[in-house]
Amino acid sequence: MTTASNFIFIDDLVLRENLDVTFAHLLDLVSLADSPEYNSVSRSSFRKTVIIYTASIIEALLLWLLRENVSADKLIREIIKFKISKEIYKINNTERIVLGSDVVSSEQIKLSKLNLADINSLCREHGIINDRIYKDVDRTRVLRNRLHIGTMSAVESQYSVKDLEFIFSIAKEIKGLGSH
């Protein structure tokens, strides 16, 4: 990229470049979302895309913070499974009384397989973010997930300037965590 990076504190050059490219796309989309030459539906569509891109930046920054602040050996997930040892009594075709026990094992968390909800939870769990930021990032995730139209229970509403202001404030705050 020919201009100075907005993410100079990121030491991973590929990630930094991807963040800068995405940020440049955001600037273009924001100008379109504010343009009076488009109708309100088009402007809302641009805002939706801005939200998706901004959430992507937030997710990437949180994942970077997680990698920077937590060693791989601390990223272990405990798995608890219930093992049925013996069926004691069959009530009907779907219900039964069983004797069993919990089997506990652990697995290494694969950072490349995490989604925003997982990353957000891990960052809170490891003290990278506080409960308020966790809730704001989760609200961001919910806004972003409105792109999954097949799972919606209501007709999608307009994306507003207020939605953009909210998500930009969260992105700025998360970026601030990394640049200190």
Side-chain angles (χ1 to χ4, degrees):
M1 194 158 249
T2 57
T3 61
S5 175
N6 287 292
F7 304 93
I8 198 70
F9 58 93
I10 301 287
D11 52 1
D12 178 333
L13 298 180
V14 172
L15 175 59
R16 184 191 309 163
E17 181 76 15
N18 283 330
L19 285 165
D20 283 328
V21 167
T22 302
F23 187 75
H25 292 165
L26 277 175
L27 295 178
D28 291 340
L29 288 165
V30 168
S31 67
L32 293 172
D34 289 339
S35 176
E37 66 186 84
Y38 294 101
N39 65 31
S40 64
V41 173
S42 294
R43 287 193 307 270
S44 179
S45 173
F46 291 132
R47 288 183 196 121
K48 178 179 185 173
T49 307
V50 167
I51 287 169
I52 293 166
Y53 273 123
T54 306
S56 177
I57 288 174
I58 290 168
E59 182 174 23
L61 289 172
L62 286 173
L63 185 58
W64 178 80
L65 283 165
L66 191 61
R67 283 186 174 126
E68 290 293 305
N69 291 289
V70 182
S71 62
D73 62 321
K74 293 192 181 194
L75 290 173
I76 303 291
R77 181 175 290 152
E78 197 171 80
I79 303 165
I80 300 174
K81 295 179 183 175
F82 184 75
K83 182 179 176 184
I84 297 173
S85 300
K86 180 165 176 73
E87 182 177 310
I88 297 172
Y89 181 76
K90 186 173 182 176
I91 298 170
N92 57 39
N93 286 340
T94 59
E95 297 177 291
R96 58 193 174 149
I97 299 174
V98 297
L99 180 64
S101 62
D102 292 340
V103 177
V104 180
S105 62
S106 58
E107 71 178 3
Q108 183 70 41
I109 294 173
K110 293 178 178 70
L111 295 178
S112 63
K113 301 289 184 186
L114 298 177
N115 59 34
L116 181 53
D118 293 330
I119 295 166
N120 195 27
S121 293
L122 285 167
C123 283
R124 180 177 61 172
E125 180 182 319
H126 290 280
I128 297 167
I129 60 174
N130 60 33
D131 285 338
R132 183 193 54 77
I133 295 173
Y134 171 84
K135 288 176 186 169
D136 287 343
V137 170
D138 195 59
R139 184 172 157 208
T140 297
R141 180 190 61 79
V142 170
L143 254 178
R144 192 246 357 239
N145 283 356
R146 285 174 38 196
L147 71 99
H148 300 295
I149 60 175
T151 61
M152 295 178 129
S153 58
V155 174
E156 181 181 45
S157 61
Q158 292 278 325
Y159 287 84
S160 67
V161 171
K162 196 172 185 173
D163 292 333
L164 292 185
E165 289 170 351
F166 167 74
I167 201 163
F168 289 157
S169 72
I170 303 311
K172 182 178 179 183
E173 188 168 16
I174 298 299
K175 181 182 174 194
L177 293 174
S179 60
H180 286 98

